[in-house]
Amino acid sequence: SPTCPTFTNAGANTVYFMAYDPAGNYSNAYGSAQVIITKVQLTATADNQSMTYGDTTLPTESVTYTGFVNGETDSVVSGTSGITYTYSNSTGDVTVDGTLGAGTYTITPNVSGLLATNYTFAPATGTLTVDKKVVTVTADPQAMTYGAATLPTESVTYSGFANGDTKSVVTGTVGYGYFDGATSVTRSSTLPAAMTPASARPWRATA
């Protein structure tokens, strides 16, 4: 008896057939038909990434695929090295480097170069999060004489800026707390000559 053909991959396939009358009263009839197997659409989603303002090492770009059938994986996909990525925010496209400001940015993959026998590809966006860089605010050492009428000028030193930034990018004010050991004390000309520790602890400055 005739064998029915098997088609597994996407594409247009032609099936030829013959119809016959076992009783022999009619002539055999011949014909053909097309069997079309359409490709399944995969979604290629840009993986979320994070970095810190000023980083010189940038995140590794990648995508995650969803929608495979028949137990297949991304091993059936070629052209992955050709994926490019666009980064943007509400003002337009941006360049990702150490100078990119803190905030969130949309990652859009360009998957036009991806190929697979049985799949097409649709891009989906991810998010790049650029975290604020931590700047250390250190209270500057001060000295005074017990009973002095004029108290030292309080000040702090900042360290950890990136990209040539300075304290000019900082707004707000610094508050100071003075402690003798674990005990809070009031800054005045009558502070004792020895405090353990003799330290000023600045509160957080906003940037």
Side-chain angles (χ1 to χ4, degrees):
S1 61
T3 301
C4 181
T6 300
F7 304 111
T8 57
N9 291 325
N13 304 276
T14 302
V15 178
Y16 297 94
F17 60 86
M18 178 185 73
Y20 70 99
D21 177 12
N25 295 318
Y26 298 92
S27 299
N28 293 339
Y30 301 89
S32 64
Q34 274 198 329
V35 175
I36 299 176
I37 302 175
T38 58
K39 293 186 175 186
V40 173
Q41 180 175 280
L42 294 180
T43 300
T45 303
D47 294 329
N48 294 334
Q49 306 289 351
S50 64
M51 60 182 287
T52 299
Y53 173 73
D55 279 355
T56 55
T57 301
L58 303 182
T60 300
E61 298 168 321
S62 58
V63 296
T64 296
Y65 303 94
T66 54
F68 289 108
V69 296
N70 299 324
E72 293 179 327
T73 67
D74 58 6
S75 63
V76 302
V77 180
S78 61
T80 54
S81 62
I83 300 176
T84 58
Y85 300 83
T86 301
Y87 296 80
S88 60
N89 59 11
S90 59
T91 62
D93 293 348
V94 299
T95 299
V96 178
D97 57 21
T99 66
L100 185 61
T104 56
Y105 302 87
T106 299
I107 311 171
T108 304
N110 180 348
V111 298
S112 60
L114 293 179
L115 297 171
T117 300
N118 295 311
Y119 298 97
T120 60
F121 300 89
T125 60
T127 300
L128 169 66
T129 301
V130 180
D131 297 318
K132 290 186 176 184
K133 184 175 178 61
V134 175
V135 171
T136 300
V137 184
T138 304
D140 295 330
Q142 306 290 347
M144 61 177 286
T145 301
Y146 178 75
T150 302
L151 302 180
T153 300
E154 296 169 318
S155 61
V156 295
T157 297
Y158 301 91
S159 60
F161 288 112
N163 300 317
D165 292 337
T166 67
K167 65 180 181 180
S168 64
V169 302
V170 179
T171 61
T173 58
V174 177
Y176 298 82
Y178 291 79
F179 294 82
D180 184 4
T183 303
S184 176
V185 298
T186 301
R187 178 176 182 260
S188 71
S189 62
T190 60
L191 283 175
M195 294 173 60
T196 307
S199 61
R201 303 181 184 180
W203 305 114
R204 181 185 299 273
T206 59

